Amino acid sequence: MSTKVWLSSLGRPVDPQDATISVFDRGFLYGDSVYETLRTVGGRILEFDRHHDRLLKSAAGIGFEVPFAKAQILDATLQTLAASTEAEARIRIIATRGAGPLSLDVRGAATPQLIVMVQRLEVPAQSVYEKGIAACLVVPAHNRSPLSGLKTGNYVANVLALRQAIEARGDDAIMCNAEGAITEATTSNVFVVTPHGTLVTPALDGGLLSGITRAMVLELANDLGINCEERVIWPEELRQAAEIFLSSSVRGVMPVTLLDGEAVGAGVPGPLTRRLRAAYVEKLARISRGES
Ligand SMILES: Cc1ncc(COP(=O)(O)O)c(C=O)c1O
């Protein structure tokens, strides 16, 4: 495996053991950073522009003006991909506010740091997509975080939700906002197929990440003439869903066939989930061939 890391302090990709940053970096101390997870298809970066836009949106959400130009971030990513020997890569782009004194005051951080990590892309085995995964509903005990919908370095709420799901023998957690409405899974968006066959996903104003795969799935659903709604989903509706699936850059379209130990629909990936997964896989294949 050939993992490579690019650091703005070095200006070139290096091996992981040479990629060191200060323990005074605010990303480490306070989660004062933003990031994106991307993937390649056929060696091409998937949806770089959308990921870049979202990186800037997350940064704006924490009042962090990223001083790295889009072309510089793209160039660093391409350099890191070229240095890695992986055929298909998982890419993480991180911008931190940089190192400073031990103080919450952001004015002490003078030099933001850009980090690009490239690793082999590990996607779940085909058998996992055929069987589906088990999810658990996790209800937070806190008010809506000001960080909801932003991809910052502070993912502890999601870390805890995933831990809770794993303790309950689940593979992932589906989370709620303070009002109790469904938001998203720990690193994915959530889609539900109602018993009447409507595709529904939580609206973005519920406090969730504007997933790039979510947007692609909505576009594909539209192309296929599938009726789709973005609105509030309450836990009761989730429990009565005919189908549930998750969407993310790394896992693509992932069926959920168990919810809190109960079968979702027939307990196997449903027809709409399979149709959308096939359409998504086909879209990636087209991008990989340079066709769209
Ligand atoms: C909390 C959360 N929701 C949704 C997603 C899915 O986003 P995308 O499709 O852009 O990978 C992610 C991805 O990292 C995430 O962390």
Side-chain angles (χ1 to χ4, degrees):
M1 177 141 70
S2 155
T3 299
K4 294 286 176 192
V5 184
W6 189 100
L7 295 174
S8 50
S9 52
L10 297 175
R12 65 190 160 86
V14 293
D15 290 330
Q17 67 273 17
D18 300 321
T20 54
I21 65 166
S22 168
V23 291
F24 290 94
D25 190 284
R26 297 176 60 90
F28 170 68
L29 291 176
Y30 308 118
D32 195 358
S33 62
V34 290
Y35 79 99
E36 282 299 314
T37 299
L38 306 83
R39 63 163 291 175
T40 60
V41 265
R44 300 162 202 269
I45 307 170
L46 184 64
E47 300 284 5
F48 179 83
D49 290 350
R50 279 174 159 174
H51 280 282
H52 177 263
D53 288 351
R54 192 171 67 186
L55 185 79
L56 296 193
K57 189 168 166 249
S58 297
I62 60 167
F64 169 29
E65 201 169 318
V66 175
F68 309 102
K70 183 174 179 180
Q72 189 183 1
I73 299 175
L74 179 59
D75 185 53
T77 309
L78 291 172
Q79 277 185 41
T80 320
L81 280 169
S84 154
T85 55
E86 300 302 345
E88 234 35 307
R90 175 189 178 122
I91 304 160
R92 180 170 295 217
I93 299 173
I94 308 169
T96 88
R97 223 185 290 252
L102 285 177
S103 158
L104 294 188
D105 187 345
V106 298
R107 290 173 300 179
T111 315
Q113 173 95 246
L114 178 69
I115 302 155
V116 180
M117 300 172 175
V118 168
Q119 289 189 314
R120 176 187 302 167
L121 176 74
E122 307 270 2
V123 294
Q126 182 60 24
S127 56
V128 180
Y129 291 98
E130 279 156 20
K131 184 167 179 271
I133 60 166
C136 298
L137 191 58
V138 171
V139 181
H142 50 76
N143 290 328
R144 184 184 295 193
S145 161
L147 301 178
S148 62
L150 306 178
K151 209 158 166 62
T152 73
N154 194 328
Y155 252 51
V156 180
N158 301 31
V159 168
L160 296 182
L162 181 62
R163 184 164 177 260
Q164 207 174 316
I166 290 170
E167 275 171 8
R169 297 176 186 274
D171 302 304
D172 204 346
I174 294 179
M175 306 182 294
C176 296
N177 61 22
E179 291 81 43
I182 303 300
T183 53
E184 57 192 335
T186 57
T187 55
S188 307
N189 291 106
V190 180
F191 285 82
V192 162
V193 178
T194 69
H196 302 297
T198 304
L199 184 65
V200 190
T201 192
L204 295 178
D205 61 9
L208 49 120
L209 191 73
S210 176
I212 284 144
T213 322
R214 175 186 181 278
M216 292 168 81
V217 168
L218 288 172
E219 286 159 12
L220 289 170
N222 192 39
D223 293 348
L224 292 169
I226 296 168
N227 184 18
C228 188
E229 296 173 0
E230 292 177 67
R231 59 163 169 80
V232 173
I233 301 178
W234 299 105
E236 304 85 84
E237 188 172 20
L238 188 75
R239 293 195 194 290
Q240 285 159 16
E243 303 178 32
I244 302 175
F245 67 86
L246 307 183
S247 69
S248 74
S249 299
V250 172
R251 291 192 290 188
V253 173
M254 174 58 78
V256 173
T257 47
L258 269 184
L259 179 67
D260 288 338
E262 302 282 331
V264 176
V268 293
L272 209 52
T273 304
R274 284 191 276 114
R275 208 167 146 212
L276 283 164
R277 172 161 165 72
Y280 181 76
V281 168
E282 175 50 33
K283 179 164 176 80
L284 261 48
R286 282 199 305 275
I287 294 172
S288 153
R289 293 192 297 266
E291 289 170 17
S292 63

